[in-house]
Amino acid sequence: MFEDLQAKATKILCTEYGISDCSVAWERPAQPEFGDLATPVSMQLAKTLKKNPKVIAGVLAEQLAKDSSVEKAEVAGPGYVNVWLKPEALLGELKHTREACTAKVTRKEAPVIVEYSSPNIAKPLGIHHILTTVIGQVIANLYMHEGYNVKTVNHIGDWGTQFGKLYVAWKQWGNGDLDKKTVDELLALYVQFHDEEEKNPGLEVEARNAFRQLEEGNDDIRAFWKTVVDISMREIHALYERLHVHLAYEHGESMYENAMQPIVEEGKKKKIFSLGKEGAFIADLEQENLPPAIVIKGDGGTIYLTRDLATVRFRIDEWQPQASLYVVGQEQQLHFQQLFAIVKKLGWQLPHLEHVSFGRMHFADGKMSTRKGKILKLEDVLDEATERAADLIKSRGDSIQSDDPQALAEMMGVGAVVYGIISQNRKMDILFDWDKALSFEGNSAPYLQYTHARARSILRKAEVKNEVPFPKDADSFSNVERSLVGGLLRFPEVILEARASHMPHVLATYLYQLCQNFNAFYNSEPILQSPEPQKSLRIALTALTATVLKSGAELLTLRVPDRM
Ligand code: ARG
């Protein structure tokens, strides 16, 4: 943005000082007192040129001030150059912001794989599953928005000895129609198995046999397994719908059953897997400074890591991706380090592989599990959120208006939970606070939603459509107008940064600031009552703000109401 001006600044310095490298880095000052753009370049050049930075800054400011897009340019502090642009120049740049509100057309290039959510079957989704699910979806959304060819993949844990256990439990204690069961009921059977197993160790052997039979393709056990997977996926999809999450590919770990053996053979042949204790096969990763990794158990069985090896191979063969991102909690860091080290050793042509990890979630009130010590279910938390939002709407009486309070409560409640998570730096532990998440004043979903509805309400009163053209020029900007314009101008850069760093909170923080910019503007400037040409300008600013808020919120998987 402002490429012309930046190029000019570079040229000015290069010509003036006869140097070839003086690329000028620009910043956008947070406070309007420092102008629309600022650069510390004089300080950077001072050393090489052995000149006072203020002198260099003075030269640059004087030349820039002559540019037709510049209102004024000043030297500030130890050698900053602060530039104020003419209103029409700023307004012209806003076309980039408007463009950034719609997704680019998907480019035909090597895909980016984003793997997330990846729950295990036959257990309800716990609250912690929301982290991978929404962080992954936001990252995928950001890539898609920029026109990347994105493959969203759910790596479902649908394989392993637990299915043998569940089968044995079902045969012993199950009753009624399997396909009418809920995941909670399946979990109860599983828990019962573990309780009984302590008294009767023979059960464990039975379970292992059952899983072996499943692997061998026994019809009865296969049918059982398939039904269990279907029951789980039905419940999982219902939750995804509430969260506005969608994954294009659902590939169970079971899919890789037959793909593992050739890889194991390849590893043995390349001497990467060697025979360890008790018949297990192990990858030695000493050179990589990692502990050795088991790839085949002593009993010949494969494990989680073996399936991940096959998954990497499958995705390379199927998609020839440019990058493959794994949005998984940091407790699996070692697993991914070992996985990436092994595939590198195997010498495969690899895309960029990245474990996009995140910290643990805590509740500010300390409750992560139920009174009985069971994990909190995601569904229960979303239900609670919707109830809390409904109470909040009621308590606000007439100040909140909605044609469908139930739908608004769901939008606010689910949004509050998601935003409460996504607005925090994923690399840290995530502290979830109900009061903060549902506050109308802070960095929260309701605040964002309310601000959007406020902007829409103005536009309804002004009887304008969503897209309002900007007047060609404006005499001058007040400080709040300038801040709002500055905020709007940052949108394209922010989505780029959030995407490139895989940091959803960068976008959330930005939207919060934009809401603040807008509310400051709303509180200090009359909009509909102002005379022309201000009125048209202010309506256009309001319209673009609403569009950016909606577009940004949707990238974060949130929805915003038109009225509330
Ligand atoms: N199902 C696993 C779990 O719940 C997560 C899978 C992560 N992805 C992977 N490719 N290993 O722990």
Side-chain angles (χ1 to χ4, degrees), residues 348-364:
W348 297 349
Q349 273 286 339
L350 293 175
H352 168 76
L353 295 172
E354 186 175 330
H355 174 202
V356 178
S357 71
F358 48 82
R360 284 173 204 275
M361 178 172 175
H362 305 281
F363 278 81

Side-chain angles (χ1 to χ4, degrees), residues 115 117-120 129 155-157 253 304 308 311 315 326-328 332 335-336 339:
E115 190 216 277
S117 201
S118 307
N120 295 331
H129 274 110
H155 184 70
I156 294 161
E253 291 187 32
Y304 181 57
D308 256 323
T311 308
R315 292 177 187 167
Y326 295 83
V327 184
V328 183
Q332 294 199 29
H335 168 77
F336 285 104
L339 173 67

Side-chain angles (χ1 to χ4, degrees), residues 77-181:
Y80 273 95
V81 176
N82 294 344
V83 178
W84 283 257
L85 292 147
K86 291 209 180 122
E88 65 262 28
L90 289 168
L91 294 180
E93 289 293 320
L94 283 173
K95 67 173 183 290
H96 299 293
T97 299
R98 186 170 285 150
E99 277 162 20
C101 291
T102 28
K104 295 207 179 95
V105 179
T106 310
R107 296 189 294 268
K108 286 191 186 61
E109 59 180 21
V112 172
I113 299 172
V114 189
E115 190 216 277
Y116 55 100
S117 201
S118 307
N120 295 331
I121 292 299
K123 286 183 196 159
L125 290 195
I127 178 61
H128 59 280
H129 274 110
I130 198 174
L131 300 181
T132 166
T133 305
V134 297
I135 295 171
Q137 185 66 56
V138 174
I139 292 173
N141 288 350
L142 288 164
Y143 272 97
M144 287 189 262
H145 193 79
E146 270 187 55
Y148 282 88
N149 173 4
V150 179
K151 305 279 180 198
T152 49
V153 192
N154 206 346
H155 184 70
I156 294 161
D158 66 351
W159 210 241
T161 42
Q162 70 270 30
F163 290 96
K165 293 179 187 172
L166 197 56
Y167 181 75
V168 171
W170 170 250
K171 285 284 144 182
Q172 299 248 353
W173 311 295
N175 54 52
D177 291 341
L178 177 63
D179 56 6
K180 304 258 156 55
K181 298 289 167 210

Side-chain angles (χ1 to χ4, degrees), residues 254-422:
S254 61
M255 204 176 97
Y256 303 101
E257 256 310 88
N258 300 322
M260 287 181 281
Q261 207 46 44
I263 294 170
V264 170
E265 292 311 321
E266 181 183 343
K268 287 183 192 170
K269 213 185 282 159
K270 292 182 174 166
K271 301 219 172 350
I272 294 160
F273 306 154
S274 57
L275 196 56
K277 269 187 240 141
E278 289 159 17
F281 275 87
I282 290 174
D284 180 285
L285 302 171
E286 209 183 320
Q287 277 182 348
E288 288 77 9
N289 272 324
L290 292 169
I294 298 181
V295 284
I296 294 287
K297 290 187 290 185
D299 65 4
T302 57
I303 57 170
Y304 181 57
L305 178 63
T306 334
R307 285 188 281 281
D308 256 323
L309 287 170
T311 308
V312 173
R313 184 72 262 166
F314 169 83
R315 292 177 187 167
I316 296 175
D317 294 343
E318 187 79 5
W319 291 320
Q320 294 92 43
Q322 56 173 300
S324 186
L325 312 177
Y326 295 83
V327 184
V328 183
Q330 68 194 17
E331 56 290 350
Q332 294 199 29
Q333 188 182 4
L334 178 60
H335 168 77
F336 285 104
Q337 286 173 335
Q338 291 177 318
L339 173 67
F340 297 166
I342 294 172
V343 292
K344 207 164 153 206
K345 274 181 126 84
L346 284 165
W348 297 349
Q349 273 286 339
L350 293 175
H352 168 76
L353 295 172
E354 186 175 330
H355 174 202
V356 178
S357 71
F358 48 82
R360 284 173 204 275
M361 178 172 175
H362 305 281
F363 278 81
D365 60 10
K367 273 181 276 162
M368 228 7 220
S369 45
T370 64
R371 250 183 302 144
K372 288 184 193 141
K374 284 195 231 146
I375 53 154
L376 261 190
K377 289 202 300 169
L378 173 54
E379 185 183 4
D380 293 343
V381 175
L382 296 185
D383 289 347
E384 179 173 352
T386 303
E387 273 166 40
R388 282 180 187 248
D391 290 346
L392 194 66
I393 293 169
K394 259 189 235 132
S395 76
R396 290 227 148 191
D398 281 349
S399 69
I400 291 191
Q401 284 165 356
S402 169
D403 313 331
D404 189 349
Q406 187 65 36
L408 181 63
E410 170 83 5
M411 190 192 283
M412 261 171 67
V414 174
V417 174
V418 170
Y419 189 91
I421 290 164
I422 219 77

